[in-house]
Amino acid sequence: MKSVLVTGAGGGLGREIALQAARRGCAVGVLDLNATAAQETAVLCGKAGPAALAIGKDLTCNGAPKEAVKEVCAAWGRLDVLVNNAGYGGIEAFLDMTEAMWDRTLAINVKALALACAAAGRVMREQRAGRIVNITSPASRMALPNYAAYAASKAGVDSVTRAAAVALAPYGVTVNSVAPGMMDTEMQRSTEADLAKLEGREDIEAFLAERTRRVPLGRRTDCETVAAAVIWLALDAPDYVTAERLNISGGLDKD
Ligand SMILES: NC(=O)c1ccc[n+]([C@@H]2O[C@H](COP(=O)([O-])OP(=O)(O)OC[C@H]3O[C@@H](n4cnc5c(N)ncnc54)[C@H](O)[C@@H]3O)[C@@H](O)[C@H]2O)c1
């Protein structure tokens, strides 16, 4: 039985990744800032798979990534897979950017993710095995003046992914990332509503349709599709795949 830790698994993409891992027979640590939501996902995973543990935790608190890894290891004796999915992003005009937005975004998307890679990496080094999958975004390579902190944070995720892949390669541990296209999650809905407002667009449906048309495949994706790619990297991909970024963005990202 493999032991998996998924961060930000109280809803959206993270919940779907946790569920697919459970269905594949993994024990799943379900971490989220929202403890009630983490508990709900853990109940679903417990029904779908062998074991689940809810971890209600703010990953940006001092020592939290290390504690989360410790909790999973205490439950199942090892950590085979870490999925760094927890994330935050907010819309604000470039010239009106705030310190609060930068602090909150970088704290979870980059700093906590890097510390979680290191905490899991130390356990995986001893095991001489393990896989880490980080969730990045097409935004990391786009010029997004009204979403600058988020885009920069995801460029940070790409940087940490490369560094972690090289640091952990001598121990047989792989580190890759997945860049999802637009999935209609809670985060995506509120982000696009805020963007429409900032751009003075009241015709939200037309605004969303325009954004969808920019995707070469002409449609949005969903959590099930993106989670399947994460699970493939975490459980099925050849063990020679590391430092890779897998775009599940319908052609939005082109390499
Ligand atoms: N939705 C999209 O279209 C899209 C596109 C590209 C990338 N992504 C990325 O996918 C990942 C999941 O996004 P989602 O759309 O499911 O968002 P979501 O907001 O639905 O889920 C994110 C989860 O992370 C949790 N979280 C946030 N801060 C946390 C913290 N400090 N500690 C612990 N948990 C915390 C939230 O409580 C939430 O449950 C994110 O990394 C996001 O940047 C999403």
Side-chain angles (χ1 to χ4, degrees), residues 1-4 19-28 48-51 235:
M1 179 178 82
K2 286 199 164 147
S3 146
V4 176
L19 271 170
Q20 290 193 18
R23 286 189 205 115
R24 287 286 303 271
C26 300
V28 189
L235 301 178

Side-chain angles (χ1 to χ4, degrees), residues 81-115:
V81 173
L82 166 67
V83 181
N84 275 311
N85 164 82
Y88 171 77
I91 296 291
E92 58 182 20
F94 190 85
L95 295 180
D96 297 324
M97 64 170 64
T98 61
E99 285 195 35
M101 179 64 77
W102 280 96
D103 287 348
R104 181 166 177 195
T105 309
L106 295 186
I108 180 63
N109 294 10
V110 186
K111 187 171 141 189
L113 175 139
L115 290 167

